Amino acid sequence: MKELAKTYDPKEFERRIYEGWEKDGDFHAEIDPAKKPFTIVMPPPNITGQLHMGHALDQTLQDVLTRWRRLQGYAALWLPGTDHASIATEMRVADELREKEGLSKEDLGRDEFLKRVWQWKEIYGGRITEQQRRLGDSCDWERERFTMDEGCNKAVVEFFVRLYEKGLIYKGSRLINWCPTCGTSLSDAEVEHEDLNGKYWYIRYPAANGGEGITVATSRPETMFADVAIAVSPEDERYLDWIGKTVLLPVIGREIPVIADSYPDPEKGTGAVKITPAHDPNDFEVGERHGLAQPVCIDFEAKMTAEAGKYEGMDRFACRAAWVDELTTAGYLVKTEDVVIPTGKCYRCGTIVEPMISEQWFVKMETLAKPAILAAKRGELRHVPARFEKIYLHWLEEIRDWCISRQLWWGHRIPAWTCGVCGEIIVAREAPEACPKCGAGKSVLVQDEDVLDTWFSSGLWPFSTLGWPEDTPDLRYFFPTNVLVTGYDIIFFWVVRMVFSSLEVRDEPPFETVFVHGLVRDELGRKMSKTLGNGVDPIEVIDLYGADALRFFLLNGSAAGGDMRFIMKNVESTRNFANKLWNASRFVLMNLGTGEAAGQRDTEGLSLCPASLRDEDKWILRTVEQVAAEVTDNLEKYELSVATQKIYDLIRDEYCDWYIELVKTRLYGEDEESKKVCCAVLVRVLSDLLRLLHPFMPFITEEIWSYLDKPNKLIRDSWPTPEGFAADSDFTAASVRIETTKEIVRAVRNIRAEANAPQAKKLPILILFDKGGGSGESGGERNGENAALGAGAAAHIQALAGVSDIGIVRSEAELPGDTVSAILKGMVLHVPLADLVDFAAEREKLAKERERLTGETQRLGGKLNNEGFTAKAPPAVVDTERAKLAAAEDALAKVIAREAAIREK
């Protein structure tokens, strides 16, 4: 018979087990009409990425749900894949090209550059999927997808064309977010806002007729060169006489009008606002309402244009400093004010975003957003925790048209062609052969250079990966999916887009539930980042403690929707838990290896006759069944951290610390029949515990399972189902008796610890039951044979608590002198003081301690009375010595008081 290794070492089996799962197709989901499908699509990590703690948490949560449903008998599909990540990948390859070959992407040209990106993807793009395997992800690798594979590309083109044909996609010049470093437009969701310390500069715009003029507060004086108006509220009495008049741009002298608009807030700044339509989204809207010009003073490289005069070609922020100096010298700067300003930054590189007017492709969002809002409000789509629905709805209700074009080469190229003869724009699924308007041939039709926003293709992920736009068997069976697991930081990036895209083409949400988790922060609660250098590599943690330990730690700390802190010592604690399970399993297997118990490793078919079961057997069977039902309910509610803790307590406390200890006397006894029953229960329960724990710690559970002579692997076994133990009155009564026994053992252990009584010293105990709680006769019932405790309780208490004798008394009058007591449910436990403490030894120990503490207080007192010490030593050192003296005096007083208390004992 195989024996479990003496030492738990995950390196010895984690890779082997995973390779076996994958080789045998254990992750593969088949269409099975007899089974209910369960589907999760993995949020596709970027091909540029490496596994980080956020991934580890996100994917562990998904893996738990998938493994659980698989054990429940569902056709469980967890569909993996990776994202092409337009901006990040193009920047990575362009940087590598420049550093290694001194070339730019333009030097290579579009086609050659894209070949390089595909080559890079083949070499490095699979790195993160290998790391996912180390974590234990049980996704269907046979269905792995890539957002730019042939099927996904077909879906993207189809979706674009459909929206265009419905008038929901258009090309136009609007104000967009521009990243000067990445050289591309960004959607609102790709702009991260950060509060930065800044200034308001109060600048006077003189009246055109020579008067004092109007003072305006601005945080961006460098954009003044493109000002076209000053706006004031028509309700602001201060400026009513100014409306329709003109002021001069300071220094420059160009006249601009003063206009009335609802945008200015009379309570903010001076109540007057400079209007720069080409460089501010609010100003752009004001300009549209009033038909204002849109001069541009900052270009796509964030440098000043000819509009800025002598500052042309200067960096925008360098220009700001120089221009403010000039305004100050000329007498137009009235004052400055320090303020905190929300500043938009590129989510990829961190560059401050520049609002720019540019011709781009947009999606009209109002029409698409309405069904997505209704889906949540009608309960067709739910968020867990529910509070995140507010973020989802807020984003949709405030949404603006989505800029979907990116000035990049890597990505889904926009399926639009412009006729070089007549200027007609043709949007089509295939490259057109001729212009439908003028008939010009293919040679003059030029495809749009831009690619689509990465989130455009990611938004189709739940159904494009299952075959859409074709009506495939996979799409019919596995869609809609059941749950999307995601961090709260990308609800608006991705979740919103998937929902409205699915409602548009499938007329139903892409998933039933959005399960939202928080971020993994460092030990101090800070967000992990390259800048802080506080990131922790999950693979390094796996190498150190094993994947199971990392997974269990992440699950236990991931309270619904809340952030968690990564604390390495807590990972070590979960590894210790795995080690405890390993040792307990080894103990069980070793006891099955000899005598009549040998060969009972697989007890699935064993019929446990209640008459042969003792109280402890019934208790553990009932407890496991109860916890299994609770864990199942927790998982149904996505309370994974709660489920994790319950399984931990069940295995560590109830099975390892209690049941195994309770049955050791039977295992080592002479009663072979009792031993046989005991072994059967040990293995039966261990099997259920492994099933419960498997979704959370898949490697160790599969390894131990392989030693139980089961007909199949654990990953393909079944989730524990109720057998009626929890509802059986006999099992319930037995459980109450065992819980009482446990209470008594804990109480005796606590009394022993508080009295510093040696573990080897056997203690007699006396139990006084509440009225009706006991059946003892006068003079006390010996050896604990009482209905409230049950047969065998005395042996358990004596063995586990170091008790010599158990007496049951009817009243306090029967108690012998002084006792130490503990009040328990339905009883009071007493330990005679004379038996608990060796007073002679205690007096001797206290005398020695008094002598030591007296010497210590004299030494410290003398030191502190020495002026040479207190005058020369640093104050902190003196304070430390005073604290030591106070502690020694306090301890001495307690020793003296204890001596007085036991002097006559």
Side-chain angles (χ1 to χ4, degrees), residues 43-46 48-60 127-129 131-132 135 137 348 487 489-490 517-521 527-530 534-542 550 554 566:
N46 295 344
T48 58
Q50 296 188 65
L51 197 72
H52 57 64
M53 277 301 165
H55 289 133
L57 171 60
D58 189 74
Q59 290 171 18
T60 299
R127 176 174 52 185
I128 196 165
T129 61
Q131 293 173 327
Q132 289 170 322
L135 187 63
D137 289 1
R348 280 294 172 198
D489 53 334
I490 60 168
H517 60 78
L519 306 179
V520 182
R521 299 184 177 273
K527 188 174 181 179
M528 291 185 180
S529 69
K530 291 180 181 177
N534 61 344
V536 180
D537 183 353
I539 300 303
E540 291 181 4
V541 179
I542 290 172
L550 175 60
L554 291 169
F566 183 86

Side-chain angles (χ1 to χ4, degrees), residues 366-377:
E366 185 178 356
T367 301
L368 293 171
K370 286 179 179 177
I373 292 169
L374 286 174
K377 290 185 174 180

Side-chain angles (χ1 to χ4, degrees), residues 521-684:
R521 299 184 177 273
D522 72 5
E523 195 164 346
L524 300 176
R526 301 173 301 177
K527 188 174 181 179
M528 291 185 180
S529 69
K530 291 180 181 177
T531 305
L532 291 174
N534 61 344
V536 180
D537 183 353
I539 300 303
E540 291 181 4
V541 179
I542 290 172
D543 287 339
L544 195 60
Y545 295 116
D548 285 330
L550 175 60
R551 288 167 61 107
F552 205 78
F553 161 75
L554 291 169
L555 291 163
N556 200 34
S558 60
D563 292 347
M564 65 176 297
R565 298 188 181 194
F566 183 86
I567 302 173
M568 190 67 82
K569 67 179 182 181
N570 290 355
V571 184
E572 185 178 352
S573 295
T574 59
R575 187 204 183 279
N576 293 341
F577 166 67
N579 189 66
K580 191 177 186 74
L581 172 63
W582 184 270
N583 290 336
S585 302
R586 187 167 185 273
F587 171 82
V588 171
L589 291 169
M590 287 174 64
N591 278 281
L592 295 178
T594 59
E596 292 185 24
Q600 292 190 73
R601 294 192 173 192
D602 180 15
T603 61
E604 295 306 302
L606 181 65
S607 175
L608 294 172
C609 174
S612 67
L613 299 175
R614 297 192 181 179
D615 276 0
E616 59 267 25
D617 303 325
K618 295 174 183 178
W619 163 76
I620 194 64
L621 290 167
R622 183 177 183 274
T623 300
V624 170
E625 184 170 289
Q626 274 188 316
V627 173
E630 291 173 10
V631 167
T632 302
D633 185 59
N634 294 139
L635 292 174
E636 292 282 2
K637 296 175 180 176
Y638 298 98
E639 298 169 344
L640 274 68
S641 62
V642 177
T644 305
Q645 188 61 46
K646 286 181 179 177
I647 294 172
Y648 175 89
D649 293 340
L650 175 65
I651 293 173
R652 184 181 181 278
D653 298 341
E654 311 297 19
Y655 187 68
C656 296
D657 288 352
W658 284 108
Y659 183 67
I660 288 178
E661 295 302 318
L662 286 167
V663 299
K664 278 183 177 178
T665 54
R666 292 162 67 189
L667 289 173
Y668 302 148
E670 301 298 324
D671 187 339
E672 289 296 330
E673 187 59 34
S674 177
K675 186 183 298 185
K676 186 176 180 180
V677 172
C678 176
C679 288
V681 176
L682 276 167
V683 179
R684 171 74 165 268

